[in-house]
Amino acid sequence: MRFDVITLFPELFGPHLTHGITRRAFESAQVDVRLWPLRDFAEDNYRRVDDRPYGGGPGMVMLAEPLQRALAAARADQAAADAPAPPLRVIHFSPTGQAITQAVVQELAQGPGAVLLCGRYEGIDQRFLDRHVDRELSLGDFVLSGGELPALALLDAIARLQPGVLTASSHQQDSFSGDGLLDCPHYSRPELLATADGPQPVPAVLLSGHHAQIARWRRDQSLAITARRRPDLIAAARAAGRLSKQDEKTLAGLMQ
Ligand code: 9D3
């Protein structure tokens, strides 16, 4: 799959594409990311990519014309590289977009890729958005300074779903994609951790070697943390028939 990223800050992407467990997916071009630095598509002497809003008001607006040229360049490169295929969709990262969920990530991870449009300033000239954007996505209800971090978050989430990036079953166990519950706590060495409050042990069941008991403990921990922090996910798991009799017993016990 292929992602063409239109951005004023291409240098933000470099380290994310060359480090960590997702590096394989990017370096092998299993997830082929191509950067289109918007400043390169400004034509006037000042390399302007933004200007004041018609009608007045605070902030600056990203100009339509450099964006049109950047998108045309990405499209031409797609046409040169690919067998004839429908054009890749254009995704605009915007605070007014649909929040990215694991369902959105899975859908995009199965597709051919997209053009990712990263905004800065107050926003983008609406005429460009109306003509070219297929979908608007947000990272959530908080204010960032642009669309680059949301684009990177989406690329990371897509890359780790590619075959061979993670160990065999770890994404089936993810909260939000496996059984829809939050993850249980994890522990590693040492067995006793020295702290100012004295030695902190690992829960004994994890050292017991009883695999069935360990699995039950982890499930109960997941149920407890999900019931406390995300009761909506418990309701969804119940409605989908993903809670066993033993799960319901654990949940009833938490109510006491
Ligand atoms: C005064 C109105 N502001 C909207 C909350 C204007 C505004 C703020 C921040 C316009 C753009 C931005 C930059 N943010 C993004 O481009 C962005 C974003 C975000 O801020 N939060 C969550 N997801 C995203 S996706 C793109």
Side-chain angles (χ1 to χ4, degrees), residues 93-95 119 121-123 137-140 142-147 150:
F93 295 98
S94 162
Y121 315 118
E122 284 305 294
L137 294 178
S138 159
L139 202 54
F142 53 96
V143 183
L144 294 165
S145 50

Side-chain angles (χ1 to χ4, degrees), residues 132-143:
H132 298 292
V133 171
D134 298 295
R135 186 169 197 182
E136 299 207 311
L137 294 178
S138 159
L139 202 54
D141 290 340
F142 53 96
V143 183

